[in-house]
């Protein structure tokens, strides 16, 4: 993913994060996972490109060795008077020398592309770490904002007419219950003494000694 595509992606998803502010952590994690995938894809491409660069390097080396071999064969053929064989060896030498240049060009181009991609992946990894830290900050801010909203909503509710009327209604019911309790207590007063004292005759019957005295 190019830097322009990454930037366009982040801008395009900005409003998604804002609109889904109730789930900021899940949203931000999803975006970070997408960046992680791009980093992994970039590293995989780096590995392939490095293998390709190494392949071109080996091909250039092999072609150079073949060119040297054909040059030696041409020298030997000339010394032996084999002009046709010498010319053929020289032609092959020229061919392999061209292949050396071709493979070296491929290697150079692949190396340049690899270094450019490695630089971009490194930058993306740094941006990812920055965004990860930013995600933690945004999640903390979102949680604080939601807590403040809940507290503010509760404060508003505690000062609302609805709650005050509810408390007043409950207070009135309790007052009615208290009044009924007092009324019931007035209709059935509690006796000071539940068992009446015995009469004098009963006392004498219970205590004959007191009666004789």
């Amino acid at each position: 993913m190019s830097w322009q595509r990454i930037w366009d992606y982040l801008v395009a998803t900005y409003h998604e994060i804002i609109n889904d502010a109730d789930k900021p952590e899940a949203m931000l994690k999803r975006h970070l996972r997408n960046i992680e995938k791009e980093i992994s894809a970039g590293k995989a491409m780096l590995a392939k490109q490095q293998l390709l660069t190494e392949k071109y390097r080996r091909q250039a080396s092999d072609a150079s060795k073949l060119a040297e071999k054909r040059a030696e064969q041409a020298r030997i053929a000339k010394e032996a008077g084999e002009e046709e064989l010498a010319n053929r060896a020289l032609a092959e030498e020229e061919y392999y020398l061209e292949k050396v240049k071709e493979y070296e060009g491929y290697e150079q181009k692949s190396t340049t592309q690899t270094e450019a991609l490695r630089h971009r992946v490194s930058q993306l990894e740094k941006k990812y770490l920055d965004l990860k830290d930013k995600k933690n900050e945004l999640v903390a801010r979102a949680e604080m904002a939601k807590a403040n909203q809940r507290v503010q909503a509760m404060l508003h509710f505690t000062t609302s007419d609805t709650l005050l009327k509810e408390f007043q209604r409950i207070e009135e019911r309790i007052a009615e219950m208290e009044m009924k309790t007092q009324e019931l207590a007035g209709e059935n007063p509690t006796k000071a003494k539940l068992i009446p004292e015995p009469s004098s005759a009963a006392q004498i019957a219970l205590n004959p000694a007191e009666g004789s005295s």
Side-chain angles (χ1 to χ4, degrees), residues 19 23 27 40 46 56-57 61 66 73 84-85 88 94 107-108 122 125 129 144 154 168 187-188 203:
N19 294 334
K23 302 175 182 178
M27 288 290 293
S40 297
L46 269 177
Y56 290 142
R57 186 178 296 114
S61 177
L66 287 172
Q73 289 174 344
E84 182 178 352
L85 184 60
R88 186 184 306 168
E94 185 66 23
E107 178 191 354
Q108 182 60 43
S122 177
E125 286 179 318
L129 294 176
M144 182 61 69
M154 187 56 64
Q168 185 178 358
E187 292 175 1
N188 301 289
Q203 287 181 352

Side-chain angles (χ1 to χ4, degrees), residues 59-106:
Q59 288 176 322
S61 177
D62 292 343
S64 178
K65 291 177 181 178
L66 287 172
E68 291 176 1
K69 183 176 181 181
R70 293 296 183 269
E72 180 64 15
Q73 289 174 344
R75 184 185 66 77
I76 295 173
K78 279 186 178 183
E79 290 178 354
E82 300 286 342
E83 290 296 328
E84 182 178 352
L85 184 60
N87 290 335
R88 186 184 306 168
L90 289 173
E92 290 185 4
E93 177 194 9
E94 185 66 23
Y95 169 79
Y96 286 121
L97 289 175
E98 289 296 325
K99 297 301 290 185
V100 169
K101 292 179 181 180
E102 180 181 340
Y103 291 137
E104 286 179 344
Y106 291 155

Side-chain angles (χ1 to χ4, degrees), residues 15-131:
H15 291 292
E16 292 182 33
I17 299 174
I18 298 302
N19 294 334
D20 201 9
D22 290 337
K23 302 175 182 178
E25 186 169 8
M27 288 290 293
L28 292 170
K29 281 183 177 180
R30 179 166 66 85
H31 298 315
L32 288 175
R33 282 196 298 270
N34 289 335
I35 297 176
E36 288 173 359
K37 290 179 182 178
E38 293 301 330
I39 292 174
S40 297
K43 288 183 176 180
M45 181 57 67
L46 269 177
K48 290 181 180 180
Q49 197 68 26
Q50 287 172 341
L51 290 175
L52 186 60
T53 302
E54 183 59 32
K55 175 184 176 181
Y56 290 142
R57 186 178 296 114
R58 288 197 306 270
Q59 288 176 322
S61 177
D62 292 343
S64 178
K65 291 177 181 178
L66 287 172
E68 291 176 1
K69 183 176 181 181
R70 293 296 183 269
E72 180 64 15
Q73 289 174 344
R75 184 185 66 77
I76 295 173
K78 279 186 178 183
E79 290 178 354
E82 300 286 342
E83 290 296 328
E84 182 178 352
L85 184 60
N87 290 335
R88 186 184 306 168
L90 289 173
E92 290 185 4
E93 177 194 9
E94 185 66 23
Y95 169 79
Y96 286 121
L97 289 175
E98 289 296 325
K99 297 301 290 185
V100 169
K101 292 179 181 180
E102 180 181 340
Y103 291 137
E104 286 179 344
Y106 291 155
E107 178 191 354
Q108 182 60 43
K109 184 176 180 180
S110 180
T111 299
T112 301
Q113 292 175 339
T114 300
E115 291 304 315
L117 180 58
R118 181 181 289 109
H119 178 67
R120 291 191 180 96
V121 170
S122 177
Q123 284 184 314
L124 185 55
E125 286 179 318
K126 291 178 181 178
K127 289 291 183 181
Y128 169 79
L129 294 176
D130 291 341
L131 291 172

